[in-house]
Amino acid sequence: MSVLPSPPSVADGAEVADVEAWVAEHLGDLTREGPDGVRSGAFRGGQSAADAALATLDVTSYARTRSTVLPVERRGASRMSPYIRHGLLTLTEVWDAVADAQGRDRTKYRDELMWQEYARHLYARVGDDLGRSLRREQPRPPAWDEPWPREMACMDAVVGELHDDGWVVNQTRMWLASQWAVRAGATWRDGEDEMFAHLVDGSRAANRLGWQWTIGTGSGKPYGFSRWQVEKRAPQLCNRCALKKDCPVQGWPEADTGPSVDGPDLRKGEIPPGPAEVEGAGGAERVWLTAESLSERDPALAADADRPAVFVFDEPLLRRLRLSGKRLVFLSETLGELAATREVEVRRGDVVAELSGTPLAATYAPVPGWARRAAGLDVVETHPWPWLIRPRPAPVQSFTGWRKSLGR
């Protein structure tokens, strides 16, 4: 068993540098950058940061500016995704927070929240199969030497923001995916892994869905990244680009839709929802916290204010993924703040080995990793996942079809 000291709490006066140092010392060997390269990203972790973001959420002009890339101050993106991804805020809380917004902006923003819910329903349905092409093979144009050439000002800016901040707007996520697979002919799963490693809001559900719909393996129609999008969303980049007179993405990409594949069944069917009510006879000694649900309002955590909690940094998984330290700093800030208000034990190791034999309470998570680990643990009390829309049998071939089937 490897018990770690509690991470420093920024909410109680610690500096971000203190958390960076904690991650470097205890988890740095598992990061992409190594102990000497651990840095925070553009987002602060913790419930207080999440609640402050929600309290100041303003989606005025969202419908018009949500795809703006530059200048940064004109972006309409809400930047709520890291808090939603780690369960610090639920989709329902964010949905309700924009109830008084202007009609078109509210509708567009809630459409994005519905897309996040669709990603979760799809992932709950197909699990790890979301990591292989759903409907078609990707386009296979002649391969480039480098999928994201830093000589292109657009790629340099977006990749730099991804590496420094751990977050980019949806528009440029589409640029990166299309450039990698549709333009440069590189394998989409490798590109998705590369983006996922840096994103503070990285979830396999949303990231894989985004890549598959962008490059045509899920949608059947590739998104063609070209200079036109850059000049429309961030003309400053083309103006300063050394390749502006010899742009390699000047025209529309000549990429045909790939052939059909024998993917998972996406027609109407059951979507595993988890329990609708608390399941189990009780008797849990600890609350098992996961990266899917780290809120102080996590259902299993909130059910008993005196029950200790435990979080395990999954060493085998982190060693394989080699995530950027930015994500681990965000998680550690969150755990440090939580540990300042109640008993939270932080460990490093194999989750099942670390928690074996301990009666646990946990909040269900609609991801395959949760189910695999829960099967090897003594989870005696399972709390419902806070769905925006609780799953029922539905088709998941498309967002539109899924939504119609739910009457939404």
Side-chain angles (χ1 to χ4, degrees):
M1 181 175 71
S2 179
V3 179
L4 305 178
S6 293
S9 173
V10 174
D12 288 345
E15 300 291 334
V16 174
D18 298 327
V19 185
E20 293 173 338
W22 186 93
V23 172
E25 178 180 357
H26 299 290
L27 304 169
D29 61 306
L30 303 176
T31 66
R32 178 162 294 216
E33 302 89 347
D36 294 337
V38 172
R39 299 290 184 272
S40 64
F43 293 83
R44 300 277 58 80
Q47 193 67 59
S48 60
D51 290 345
L54 185 64
T56 56
L57 177 60
D58 183 357
V59 297
T60 301
S61 300
Y62 178 82
R64 178 172 53 84
T65 62
R66 64 193 180 96
S67 295
T68 298
V69 177
L70 292 177
V72 171
E73 60 271 17
R74 293 185 184 174
R75 289 179 178 174
S78 70
R79 296 170 61 89
M80 304 298 289
S81 54
Y83 306 114
I84 294 171
R85 169 15 186 146
H86 294 293
L88 290 161
L89 298 173
T90 67
L91 286 174
T92 300
E93 288 175 314
V94 182
W95 180 281
D96 291 344
V98 299
D100 295 332
Q102 187 271 340
R104 185 163 178 260
D105 294 324
R106 181 182 65 246
T107 297
K108 280 292 185 182
Y109 190 69
R110 284 179 166 177
D111 284 346
E112 293 300 318
L113 299 181
M114 287 289 285
W115 176 265
Q116 291 290 324
E117 186 75 338
Y118 168 58
R120 290 173 171 175
H121 283 217
L122 176 63
Y123 197 35
R125 170 81 171 271
V126 305
D128 292 330
D129 278 345
L130 194 53
R132 62 188 182 99
S133 298
L134 292 175
R135 297 170 64 185
R136 292 184 174 273
E137 294 289 359
Q138 71 173 82
R140 283 295 185 185
W144 294 25
D145 292 337
E146 170 55 54
W148 291 336
R150 300 299 288 266
E151 297 84 0
M152 297 167 60
C154 54
M155 288 295 103
D156 186 56
V158 177
V159 173
E161 187 173 6
L162 175 67
H163 289 179
D164 292 342
D165 293 349
W167 186 85
V168 289
V169 298
N170 283 339
Q171 179 68 203
T172 53
R173 295 183 196 214
M174 294 170 65
W175 294 2
L176 289 174
S178 183
Q179 169 60 33
W180 183 284
V182 181
R183 280 281 184 186
T187 300
W188 79 263
R189 178 61 186 273
D190 294 340
E192 190 270 328
D193 280 342
E194 180 65 23
M195 182 186 286
F196 176 84
H198 287 280
L199 287 173
V200 177
D201 66 358
S203 82
R204 289 303 195 188
N207 204 45
R208 286 178 177 170
L209 175 62
W211 273 74
Q212 295 229 42
W213 253 247
T214 298
I215 67 173
T217 55
S219 64
K221 183 179 181 182
Y223 168 84
F225 170 62
S226 69
R227 183 171 181 166
W228 180 86
Q229 284 99 334
V230 182
E231 290 183 327
K232 180 179 181 181
R233 307 297 185 188
Q236 303 92 321
L237 296 177
C238 290
N239 293 339
R240 69 171 188 247
C241 185
L243 300 178
K244 63 182 179 181
K245 294 184 179 180
D246 190 25
C247 177
V249 296
Q250 180 69 45
W252 209 252
E254 296 180 1
D256 295 328
T257 302
S260 297
V261 299
D262 185 19
D265 184 4
L266 304 178
R267 295 169 298 181
K268 185 175 181 179
E270 294 288 340
I271 299 171
E277 299 177 347
V278 179
E279 286 186 350
E285 295 177 4
R286 292 182 179 272
V287 177
W288 169 35
L289 294 176
T290 70
E292 309 300 323
S293 186
L294 286 175
S295 172
E296 64 184 20
R297 300 184 288 272
D298 168 82
L301 198 65
D304 186 341
D306 297 323
R307 189 160 48 190
V310 59
F311 179 90
V312 181
F313 281 101
D314 190 333
E315 182 173 340
L317 178 65
L318 292 174
R319 195 173 295 284
R320 176 171 60 83
L321 293 178
R322 290 290 173 185
L323 299 179
S324 167
K326 297 183 289 291
R327 174 93 72 93
L328 301 188
V329 170
F330 182 92
L331 293 174
S332 299
E333 287 178 312
T334 301
L335 290 167
E337 180 177 294
L338 189 59
T341 62
R342 63 184 297 160
E343 184 180 345
V344 178
E345 187 175 74
V346 179
R347 302 185 188 184
R348 166 179 164 161
D350 178 273
V351 174
V352 173
E354 292 293 320
L355 302 182
S356 178
T358 302
L360 299 168
T363 297
Y364 173 85
V367 298
W370 188 92
R372 284 195 293 266
R373 288 162 181 78
L377 295 172
D378 188 15
V379 180
V380 299
E381 182 181 310
T382 304
H383 290 252
W385 175 258
W387 295 102
L388 177 60
I389 300 172
R390 185 169 175 81
R392 59 176 184 260
V396 290
Q397 294 107 318
S398 71
F399 174 61
T400 301
W402 166 83
R403 193 165 182 174
K404 284 182 178 178
S405 74
L406 300 175
R408 301 294 291 267

